[in-house]
Amino acid sequence: MIVVRDGETSKLSSRDAVVAIGVFDGLHRGHQAVIDVLLDLKGSGSDDALATVVTFDPHPAQVLAPERAPRLLGTLEQRLEGFNALGIEQVRVLTFDLELANESAPDFIRRVLVGELRTREVVVGEDFRFGHDRRGDVALLRAEGQRHGFAVHEAPTFGAPRWSSSVVRAALLAGDVEGANEVLGRAFVLRGLVEHGDARGEELGFATANLATAPHQLVPLAGIYAGAARTPDAGWWPAAISIGTRPQFYDDGPLLVEVHLPGFDGNLYDASLDVAFMRRLRDEQVFSDVEALVAQIARDVDQTIEIFKKFSPNASALLE
């Protein structure tokens, strides 16, 4: 897959393109519907054109309204990996800054779709808006398409519940990972670097990988979750996940994401870890003593292993 950032337009293919446009945060089922239409068009008359996505980084809201900007469902790297897995051949990553925000919709079309990508067909969601002050819509895109020689197609992006990144975020912030996963079409995956902690989990007999997440990354509601973690060398592994402040030991501790991989014996420090969320098990709690906490953690781990078994031996389906 060709990935082209600003300043790298010489890497763009000289072939015509069929193009989908959007942020695509989370690559949920609505986004997948857009890409399905794109790939169908490529396979029915535009097979010599390159299946291309135009996406934006950072999220436009981080530039236009940072105080209201949503937490992100995935990193740009995860988004690109998802495009590749879905069959996209070329991605144009546009840096979203004030200059791009002030570009009119017709100018954007002429510069990117016509000038850079040699666009033959465009696919967008039903509520697509773009350009300065979001004045561009599907009707304007169609009118410009007639002028510049490309067709425009709308893809249905609404399900029940509504397929949107906002719905996924709301579900995760409420701890409803199963509801979020239904809209995503797969398990929500939190990616981060494993950093050194205070070894509290190891003292309790349940060593944990402490996950440092990217800026603006969404973290689900505090609590205990069953899931899976993809290690660099050992593939998917059952994972008991704790998100919280460890109130058993601290009155005002920082929010931590701690992941215990039962049976895993390896060094994960400084590694990138993907953590998939399957089910919320319980709230964070303060127990009568440490022994009661350890007994509950053991039950959480047993439950996690049983839930993980339902996904085995096809754990890779978590991300597909």
Side-chain angles (χ1 to χ4, degrees), residues 85-215:
L86 290 170
I88 295 302
E89 299 168 294
Q90 176 175 255
V91 180
R92 176 67 171 97
V93 181
L94 292 169
T95 300
F96 196 93
D97 54 18
L98 290 177
E99 183 179 358
L100 180 57
N102 288 321
E103 186 174 36
S104 72
D107 284 348
F108 175 86
I109 291 168
R110 284 190 290 271
R111 179 175 67 88
V112 177
L113 297 185
V114 179
E116 290 187 358
L117 299 178
R118 301 165 53 96
T119 300
R120 186 183 298 179
E121 304 193 66
V122 176
V123 183
V124 293
E126 296 164 317
D127 58 350
F128 178 69
R129 303 297 294 238
F130 70 111
H132 181 59
D133 286 342
R134 293 171 52 86
R135 291 175 183 170
D137 57 13
V138 176
L140 183 146
L141 193 59
R142 280 208 171 95
E144 291 293 314
Q146 291 177 351
R147 182 175 296 113
H148 294 291
F150 61 81
V152 177
H153 307 267
E154 290 179 76
T157 58
F158 301 101
R162 185 176 184 269
W163 295 340
S164 76
S165 300
S166 297
V167 168
V168 177
R169 293 185 192 104
L172 291 172
L173 291 172
D176 180 14
V177 295
E178 291 172 287
N181 294 347
E182 174 63 25
V183 179
L184 287 168
R186 65 188 187 286
F188 169 71
V189 173
L190 186 63
R191 174 172 293 179
L193 289 176
V194 178
E195 62 181 6
H196 289 270
D198 61 7
R200 177 73 68 176
E202 189 172 2
E203 292 174 4
L204 299 176
F206 300 93
T208 60
N210 298 295
L211 210 64
T213 58

Side-chain angles (χ1 to χ4, degrees), residues 55-89:
T55 192
F56 306 91
D57 184 65
H59 192 289
Q62 291 174 16
V63 175
L64 299 175
E67 70 285 352
R68 301 195 304 274
R71 291 284 174 173
L72 299 180
L73 299 174
T75 65
L76 176 61
E77 181 184 44
Q78 286 176 287
R79 209 185 318 166
L80 295 174
E81 290 169 3
F83 292 145
N84 187 53
L86 290 170
I88 295 302
E89 299 168 294

